Amino acid sequence: MADIVIRKTRPGDGAAHAAVWRDVGEFFAELNPHTFRVPAEEGLAEWFEEGHAEYGGREDMLGLIAEVDGTVVGAIAASLLEPIESAERQVQRDFSRRRLHIDALGILATHRRGGVGTALMQAAEEWGRSHGAEVVLLETESNNPLSMAFYEHRMGFSPEVVIFRKELTE
């Protein structure tokens, strides 16, 4: 296995990031076509560039890219969630803690199950720790055999919440 290089997202990554995003979209659209789709290609690279320009300098947000042999093969986006003002009145303990939220993790199909996701998650967790986060939260599809096993068995997460969904237009 080639070395995995993890680095911050930078200007010029838009096209490669878009390719990862579309690849992930294909995977999820096949898994759950009623909730996912492949994003439109037109303007997607520019959208990522604009997002980096707008959010790239924020202290509470993280964007990382994974490269193998100089090629972008994965990306992760994360953000810090501060304790909420009414935390002492809430039932859920985590509302009183600084939380790291994994907003998105995507790996090209050709590089899944090769350590790229682990390297990105470890880098994000370390960033969160260094910024005072006490817990990491994320959402994934319960019928996704890759991510459920990855998060639970490889990364040490525990599944704790179920989100129910119902179409109202059918």
Side-chain angles (χ1 to χ4, degrees):
M1 175 81 194
D3 288 336
I4 300 165
V5 175
I6 304 298
R7 62 170 176 79
K8 286 197 170 196
T9 305
R10 59 184 179 226
D13 285 335
H17 202 159
V20 171
W21 196 241
R22 284 182 49 82
D23 188 77
V24 169
E26 290 173 8
F27 174 77
F28 278 104
E30 187 174 314
L31 186 68
N32 285 336
H34 60 281
T35 51
F36 293 99
R37 65 178 174 203
V38 180
E41 188 171 8
E42 185 177 333
L44 190 58
E46 293 80 9
W47 181 71
F48 275 107
E49 291 292 340
E50 290 166 7
H52 174 71
E54 185 172 347
Y55 301 110
R58 286 185 50 170
E59 292 290 320
D60 63 338
M61 298 180 92
L62 176 68
L64 297 175
I65 292 288
E67 292 181 335
V68 173
D69 296 328
T71 300
V72 173
V73 298
I76 193 168
S79 54
L80 292 172
L81 304 175
E82 296 299 333
I84 66 172
E85 192 174 311
S86 64
E88 294 302 317
R89 293 176 183 82
Q90 299 297 328
V91 182
Q92 191 178 100
R93 182 180 299 267
D94 283 345
F95 287 143
S96 66
R97 306 166 84 188
R98 179 176 269 188
R99 296 150 286 155
L100 173 65
H101 186 268
I102 304 300
D103 302 319
L105 172 64
I107 314 300
L108 288 176
T110 56
H111 287 79
R112 291 183 193 137
R113 302 182 61 91
V116 175
T118 300
L120 284 166
M121 284 295 297
Q122 288 172 339
E125 288 178 10
E126 181 54 39
W127 178 83
R129 254 187 235 95
S130 73
H131 285 78
E134 299 177 55
V135 63
V136 185
L137 305 170
L138 59 84
E139 299 82 35
T140 193
E141 295 297 294
S142 60
N143 70 332
N144 181 338
L146 294 178
S147 66
M148 290 299 290
F150 171 72
Y151 290 121
E152 192 169 2
H153 302 296
R154 168 96 38 141
M155 299 306 304
F157 282 74
S158 60
E160 296 190 8
V161 176
V162 174
I163 297 174
F164 287 94
R165 182 179 183 280
K166 178 181 178 181
E167 291 282 339
L168 295 176
T169 57
E170 293 182 351

